[in-house]
Amino acid sequence: MSALALALRDASQIVARVAAGTSLAAEFERLAEHEAETSRAALIDLTHGTLRRYGRVQAIVRQLSRRGHSDAPVEALLWCALYALESGRYADYTVVDQAVRACGALERWSAKGYVNAVLRGFLRERGSLEARIGAEPEARHQHPQWWIELLRAAYPAQYAAVLDAGNAHPPMCLRVNTRRVGVADYQRRLGAAGIPARELGEAALLLERPVPVERLPGFDRGDVSVQDFGAQRAARCLELAAGQRVLDACAAPGGKSGHILERVQVELTALDADPARCVRLERNLARLGLAARVANADCTRLEEWWDGVPFDRVLADVPCSASGIVRRHPDIKWLRRAGDIAAFAARQGAILDALWQVLRPDGKLLYATCSVFPQENDAVIDAFIARRGAQAVRVPLTDGAAAQELPGADRDGFYYALIHKQA
């Protein structure tokens, strides 16, 4: 069986499980434990591409199918094949032929004629289909209706651009470890390796196109890390100084912890509630040649990890909807539910209340999310400050940028708020 038929088979099985509620990350973690017949690159392309266009490919199948819902693997196979047809990477006849063959690999032999008919119908009716599905917001914007409505309410003039960004391929930004190498020097090393990049600011270099980390000069030695430019704001906005006692409360996988330690010599405690992610955090710090006290703990359970000595700075990079980085995790927009946003906001408020207790008077707490929903951002901060009264004062971010940055060509969507604890 050809590589494309196998890739369609495996991708459709993954996408079907995601549609049933499993995360894409969990699927690829499971895949890494087994020897696969399909290349990882092909699977990433088919699964991520299909899920970015999930609303669209679902609408196309609804328009063309006379069966209603077929069984999950066949439905997912059609979604993946439609993405493959629209990607332009393969000849049309090849995709149709290999999707039919993939039916056999899925042991859905009776579905061969159905899959063939739907895909050929798409090729035949492509022009008229656009007008029909264009009237469906989920198909046009490729996000759930509730997500579209939240963004339209928050950003009437920008919501369509935010949705478009969520469907795009993400940029690849590097953070140069300036303790080891200068930004200009590292940019020259990239150029010598055939990797064009431009400087974004301070330690950031934006690659012209993504490359495997194995190609990055000095990656294994800790000369550079992969970190979105928006995420690099955290360490800059914390107002760090040498010798401070600093807490990164939801630290894994360690990108922001590493950046903090690269910028200033501080005494850092890094927490995460997931033991497997703590291992990854320690591994990332070791690669950079940096050290912190890493603890596997829920930051809200102070009795489990806090020694009673207050912190000068606290970074609360809280769990959130991840709506600002959805192009990196395209399954998120389909796995989330509208009710999740209020649940996240409640958890975020509880984290702030707990961490405020470990911050010393005159210290500062930086609240961070990778969300673009105001319900997780300004609303959470406004409610927290109202609970704390005059003790909590929101202060301007030192980099001069807006608290909410929306996803764009060179960065993901992040939100930051700096709160000063009055002495």
Side-chain angles (χ1 to χ4, degrees), residues 130-189:
E130 289 300 328
R132 278 141 60 191
I133 68 172
E136 299 182 34
E138 286 195 1
R140 186 168 71 253
H141 295 300
Q142 299 166 60
H143 285 70
Q145 184 65 37
W146 66 266
W147 192 301
I148 296 168
E149 290 170 359
L150 280 183
L151 289 179
R152 184 188 285 121
Y155 313 105
Q158 298 161 289
Y159 81 96
V162 176
L163 292 166
D164 286 345
N167 296 325
H169 286 274
M172 185 171 181
C173 186
L174 307 182
R175 186 190 77 238
V176 178
N177 184 352
T178 52
R179 283 179 176 261
R180 292 176 175 266
V181 61
V183 175
D185 287 343
Y186 192 79
Q187 188 175 12
R188 283 191 287 271
R189 286 167 62 186

Side-chain angles (χ1 to χ4, degrees), residues 390-409:
Q391 187 188 36
V393 176
R394 185 169 180 174
V395 295
L397 296 166
T398 52
D399 66 354
Q404 178 72 73
E405 287 200 323
L406 298 176

Side-chain angles (χ1 to χ4, degrees), residues 36-58:
E37 294 179 83
T38 306
S39 80
R40 185 177 175 88
L43 278 180
I44 288 174
D45 174 52
L46 284 170
T47 56
H48 286 64
T50 298
L51 290 166
R52 285 193 185 101
R53 291 159 181 77
Y54 191 49
R56 176 179 174 81
V57 294
Q58 281 186 311

Side-chain angles (χ1 to χ4, degrees), residues 202-282:
E202 196 178 272
L205 291 171
L206 182 70
L207 301 191
E208 192 174 286
R209 53 189 168 273
V211 301
V213 293
E214 294 81 11
R215 284 194 58 199
L216 298 175
F219 180 83
D220 288 341
R221 297 194 306 271
D223 291 353
V224 70
S225 297
V226 178
Q227 187 182 39
D228 187 78
F229 187 53
Q232 293 184 37
R233 288 186 69 193
R236 298 198 303 271
C237 290
L238 264 172
E239 299 184 7
L240 298 166
Q244 285 177 335
R245 184 172 157 87
V246 178
L247 172 67
D248 186 352
C250 309
K256 295 180 180 70
S257 286
H259 195 193
I260 288 168
L261 292 168
E262 287 172 4
R263 294 187 91 245
V264 183
Q265 190 69 47
V266 297
E267 181 188 338
L268 179 68
T269 296
L271 305 180
D272 202 87
D274 185 331
R277 285 167 59 84
C278 282
V279 172
R280 188 176 170 197
L281 192 162
E282 290 177 318

Side-chain angles (χ1 to χ4, degrees), residues 78-127:
L78 284 170
W79 300 334
C80 293
L82 286 166
Y83 161 69
L85 284 170
E86 293 201 311
S87 73
R89 290 182 173 82
Y90 316 95
D92 290 349
Y93 69 87
T94 300
V95 175
V96 176
D97 175 68
Q98 296 304 301
V100 170
R101 290 174 186 270
C103 287
L106 289 167
E107 299 183 354
R108 297 301 197 275
W109 296 280
S110 63
K112 286 185 174 184
Y114 169 65
V115 167
N116 183 66
V118 170
L119 296 179
R120 289 190 180 280
F122 168 71
L123 294 173
R124 191 171 54 250
E125 300 177 38
R126 188 179 286 188

